[in-house]
Amino acid sequence: VQLVESGGGSVQAGGSLKLSCAHSGYITSRCRMGWFRQAPGKGRELVSSIGLDGITSYDDSVKGRFTISQDVSKNTLYLQMNSLKPEDTGTYTCAAGQWTAPGTCQYNYYGQGTQVTVS
């Protein structure tokens, strides 16, 4: 299983970026795909996720500004980020989750990440 992110970069506050994550390989019992963010000196946090059914979830800090989507035919996950703020700065990593127990979706596969810097 491989997940490869792209689309990061440097942008001024208020700007936009669109991240992509191309994933390959078969993931058994896949449940959700997600985008994680790790800011300098902080832990990794889940900012958004999407299920196979298309149901999305967002952290409060990005609601109304970020949009997660997926193109199943292209095995690609996206994160459209608008109205970016300096606090959005960090390494963004896509991840694939698996059902590990009834009702438990655990992210077991991660990409290398792409850097987003907002000034």
Side-chain angles (χ1 to χ4, degrees):
V1 176
Q2 276 194 318
L3 298 93
V4 181
E5 303 93 340
S6 60
S10 296
V11 64
Q12 291 190 333
S16 298
L17 284 174
K18 185 173 185 178
L19 306 183
S20 299
C21 172
H23 51 94
S24 61
Y26 181 72
I27 301 171
T28 59
S29 303
R30 198 179 90 182
C31 45
R32 301 182 72 78
M33 298 288 295
W35 285 99
F36 286 78
R37 173 176 67 199
Q38 185 165 20
K42 295 187 177 180
R44 186 165 55 189
E45 61 176 348
L46 179 65
V47 296
S48 185
S49 66
I50 185 168
L52 294 178
D53 53 8
I55 294 178
T56 60
S57 177
Y58 298 93
D59 185 79
D60 287 344
S61 65
V62 306
K63 276 182 183 176
R65 300 187 298 119
F66 290 12
T67 302
I68 191 171
S69 61
Q70 59 188 351
D71 186 332
V72 176
S73 67
K74 295 181 179 180
N75 287 338
T76 303
L77 180 72
Y78 303 99
L79 186 68
Q80 176 67 48
M81 306 186 294
N82 299 328
S83 302
L84 283 161
K85 304 176 180 180
E87 51 263 43
D88 293 320
T89 294
T91 300
Y92 285 72
T93 304
C94 72
Q98 295 177 291
W99 293 115
T100 55
T104 301
C105 181
Q106 181 172 315
Y107 291 93
N108 289 325
Y109 298 96
Y110 292 85
Q112 292 299 308
T114 185
Q115 178 66 33
V116 171
T117 303
V118 185
S119 59

